[in-house]
Amino acid sequence: MESHAGPSPEFSFAVVPQGKGKTLLHKPTAITSVVLCESNTRRGSRSRKAARPAPFASCTMSLNANAAPSGPAKVPLFMLASAAETSASAPPPGTPMWRLAAANLAAGATAGCAVELALYPIDTIKTRLQAMIGGGGLKALLQSGGGKGLYAGVWGNLAGVAPASAIFMAFYEPTKQAVQAEVSADKQYLGPVVAGMVAGTASSLIRVPTEVVKQRLQTGEFKGAITAIRTILGREGLRGMYAGYGAFMLRDLPFDAIEFVAYEQIKKAYGASVGRELNPGETSLIGAFAGGFTGVITTPLDVLKTRLMTQGASGRYKNLFDATVTIARTEGMGAFMSGWQPRLIWISLGGFVFFPVLEAAKKFYAPK
């Protein structure tokens, strides 16, 4: 990865030995919070003094390029997939297919953005916990000021979530139908599994750069999304925008496969046992259980993704394998489960936000 001279002098970070192999980064002399006023173009800011260290700081927050260094969150794919599968009223006769597709894409994007907006603070805490080198847990994070600015980077993230959700929806349903048409009745579950992987891969072209920018804003490295994009492209090139792509795909593809199988099979079994169509509350509970379970067991891959995305040009980790070995050797195996609690909460609660918004959005965007 290309090296750079470091961030603006406004950020004053230093690596401080904490004993027992732990390393923390000093917090900037001022933390800038971005406040949205009616649109992304009108922003105000406020600064707060901070004397304690910020262990959640990004790896690139050092004026010394050689200093030791110290991201949608995604919407679980069972939520996005359900936008194509939930029931809706029949459209008026003669409605063109493009209009139906546009309504479906808009509904999925709206619901995805609603989840991000509602649960973003939980994702920010998860990112900061995972970016901490040496650990310390939630208590250390809060003591060092990591509980502030929990909506940092949310508007730039929403700008990427909407098109990524739409791309996912555009690939999911056609792929699922094509696969299910080619397999036997007892293998119909392969449809959503393969479709989730294909759609997830297609949408990753937008989701990964969005995640990189979001996580580096969450750790306080940049003040705004435009500044972050400019700086990353200028110092690290296009490669910097796709940092951690391999870890992202390794996390998401197993996640999608496990989640879809669990979601579809539990829904099918429960539906057969009650002998009726499931109501939205039951579907949400099943989705929350499937997503939460999958989220916990894929946390180690999420930790690796966060470390690679937030290291910037510091070069602490050469690649995914080096990151795995380095973390295991210097921090222990427990570091791979950092942030599992907020990750579980985020994914589990996501379904309860997503489905009501999805149903309302489908009615709103439906052809009249």
Side-chain angles (χ1 to χ4, degrees), residues 86-128:
T86 51
S87 59
S89 58
T95 303
M97 288 301 297
W98 70 264
R99 180 64 181 83
L100 297 175
N104 207 32
L105 298 183
T110 300
C113 288
V115 172
E116 288 286 329
L117 187 60
L119 303 179
Y120 195 82
I122 299 175
D123 182 62
T124 298
I125 291 174
K126 183 217 71 168
T127 297
R128 291 174 178 176

Side-chain angles (χ1 to χ4, degrees), residues 19-355:
K20 298 184 180 179
K22 296 185 178 181
T23 304
L24 301 179
L25 294 180
H26 269 293
K27 198 169 186 178
T29 54
I31 302 176
T32 304
S33 300
V34 177
V35 180
L36 183 72
C37 300
E38 297 181 356
S39 71
N40 290 0
T41 58
R42 297 177 59 189
R43 292 184 175 125
S45 63
R46 59 178 181 174
S47 298
R48 295 179 179 177
K49 296 287 183 178
R52 294 186 179 181
F56 58 85
S58 169
C59 296
T60 52
M61 293 186 191
S62 173
L63 294 178
N64 182 357
N66 298 320
S70 78
K74 75 186 186 79
V75 177
L77 296 188
F78 76 83
M79 300 180 196
L80 297 178
S82 297
E85 296 179 350
T86 51
S87 59
S89 58
T95 303
M97 288 301 297
W98 70 264
R99 180 64 181 83
L100 297 175
N104 207 32
L105 298 183
T110 300
C113 288
V115 172
E116 288 286 329
L117 187 60
L119 303 179
Y120 195 82
I122 299 175
D123 182 62
T124 298
I125 291 174
K126 183 217 71 168
T127 297
R128 291 174 178 176
L129 284 171
Q130 292 180 343
M132 291 171 63
I133 294 181
L138 184 60
K139 182 178 179 180
L141 179 69
L142 295 177
Q143 287 178 341
S144 61
K148 301 175 183 177
L150 296 181
Y151 271 95
V154 64
W155 302 114
N157 186 52
L158 291 180
V161 166
S165 299
I167 290 174
F168 179 93
M169 295 296 297
F171 277 85
Y172 177 81
E173 186 64 19
T175 304
K176 187 188 79 166
Q177 292 179 354
V179 172
Q180 290 182 331
E182 297 295 327
V183 300
S184 59
D186 62 332
K187 294 184 179 179
Q188 290 294 294
Y189 66 88
L190 290 175
V193 172
V194 175
M197 289 183 169
V198 171
T201 301
S203 64
S204 70
L205 296 177
I206 292 180
R207 288 168 64 197
V208 170
T210 300
E211 189 84 355
V212 168
V213 172
K214 178 196 75 173
Q215 292 201 316
R216 291 173 75 167
L217 286 168
Q218 286 177 324
T219 55
E221 182 177 354
F222 300 109
K223 296 180 180 179
I226 300 300
T227 301
I229 293 171
R230 259 192 220 143
T231 305
I232 293 171
L233 287 174
R235 294 173 176 171
E236 304 164 42
L238 187 62
R239 181 180 178 184
M241 294 296 293
Y242 284 90
Y245 185 86
F248 181 92
M249 297 305 292
L250 281 176
R251 180 199 70 174
D252 279 20
L253 293 185
F255 186 104
D256 300 339
I258 297 170
E259 181 182 52
F260 269 111
V261 170
Y263 176 65
E264 293 290 338
Q265 295 306 306
I266 295 173
K267 184 173 70 171
K268 181 179 178 181
Y270 182 74
S273 68
V274 298
R276 58 173 171 77
E277 185 177 348
L278 305 187
N279 61 50
E282 291 170 324
T283 305
S284 294
L285 284 172
I286 293 171
F289 177 81
F293 169 76
T294 311
V296 170
I297 64 177
T298 56
T299 295
L301 293 170
D302 193 48
V303 170
L304 290 168
K305 175 199 70 73
T306 298
R307 290 293 183 90
L308 289 167
M309 284 185 172
T310 58
Q311 72 169 339
S314 64
R316 178 179 179 84
Y317 310 115
K318 297 177 182 178
N319 49 48
L320 181 61
F321 178 76
D322 181 61
T324 304
V325 173
T326 301
I327 293 172
R329 185 180 68 247
T330 60
E331 302 176 56
M333 299 303 293
F336 289 107
M337 291 303 293
S338 298
W340 73 266
Q341 300 97 327
R343 179 168 166 79
L344 170 63
I345 295 171
W346 191 99
I347 294 174
S348 297
L349 290 181
F352 292 97
V353 177
F354 183 88
F355 287 108

